[in-house]
Amino acid sequence: MSTPFVVAVDGPSGSGKSSTARGVATRLSLAYLDTGAMYRAVTWALLQRGTDLGDPAAIARDAVDLRLESGTDPQSPTIAVDGADVSEAVRDDDVNAHVSPVAAVPEVRSMLVDQQRAIIAEATGGIVVEGRDIGSTVAPDAPVKVFLVADAQARAARRAAERGGADEAATAASLAARDAIDSTRATSPLTRADGAVQIDGTHLTLDEVVDAVVQLVEEARTT
């Protein structure tokens, strides 16, 4: 069985990962996986269970039996927990506030990385995978690795717009707090993977960023 062609798209919150990854997957007729939604789904489920999210041991204990299903259609990605579609619920403010500490728990990361690798292995036609540790941990042998960045103001403006015009200053503070947790956690921290091409989307349109990634894919496929 041939190894699926993987495009790894990493970067901090608000850098445009989701829009870029979905755009590239759609353009190239590839599958798409939002690994961040998987961590959000776990967080949502633990909130529903009343798990103490300040206790890593409790998080690890309560997360182990969750059954996640990730849809890989870039035009309509979905995430379900124990058969319930939570695609919208995982974007709420309570999940946003708690996902980083949940994602920092090593047992949660190990469980989800195994699931992510299994999904990648099934994507025989190729897949675009977005997250924070794809190129460094989940798929270190991906032929295309991208680290997408944007300045703090642009990231805050984009994320605030996604939330229907939320306060940009508060959004910027939230993003900075999440960056700090994600970049300093002991297991699979947010980092630019070896061999990743950094793309700064601050002053680029979405189409221009997608074009840049597609070009990297085309170059990788001809070498």
Side-chain angles (χ1 to χ4, degrees), residues 46-146:
L46 297 183
L47 286 167
Q48 297 303 302
R49 291 184 174 188
T51 302
D52 179 0
L53 299 189
D55 182 351
I59 292 172
R61 179 196 66 223
D62 291 353
V64 69
D65 64 343
L66 295 174
R67 179 170 57 86
L68 271 61
E69 299 170 74
S70 299
T72 58
D73 179 355
Q75 306 257 12
S76 183
T78 58
I79 184 73
V81 181
D82 295 334
D85 187 335
V86 295
S87 304
E88 295 297 327
V90 299
R91 305 295 170 182
D92 70 26
D93 290 342
D94 207 14
V95 173
N96 288 335
H98 292 94
V99 63
S100 283
V102 170
V105 175
E107 292 86 350
V108 172
R109 298 206 73 82
S110 178
M111 176 182 75
L112 293 188
V113 167
D114 286 346
Q115 293 182 27
Q116 291 155 14
R117 287 174 174 165
I119 293 168
I120 290 170
E122 294 172 357
T124 55
I127 188 168
V128 181
V129 188
E130 61 140 310
R132 287 167 174 74
D133 64 343
I134 310 307
S136 60
T137 301
V138 178
D141 295 328
V144 176
K145 300 178 187 178
V146 174

Side-chain angles (χ1 to χ4, degrees), residues 3 12 18 20 31 33 66 99 106 114 128-129 139 149 163 171 174 180 190 193 209 218:
T3 302
S18 294
T20 297
L33 178 62
L66 295 174
V99 63
D114 286 346
V128 181
V129 188
V149 299
R163 295 180 183 171
T171 300
S174 175
L190 168 66
V209 177
E218 292 173 343

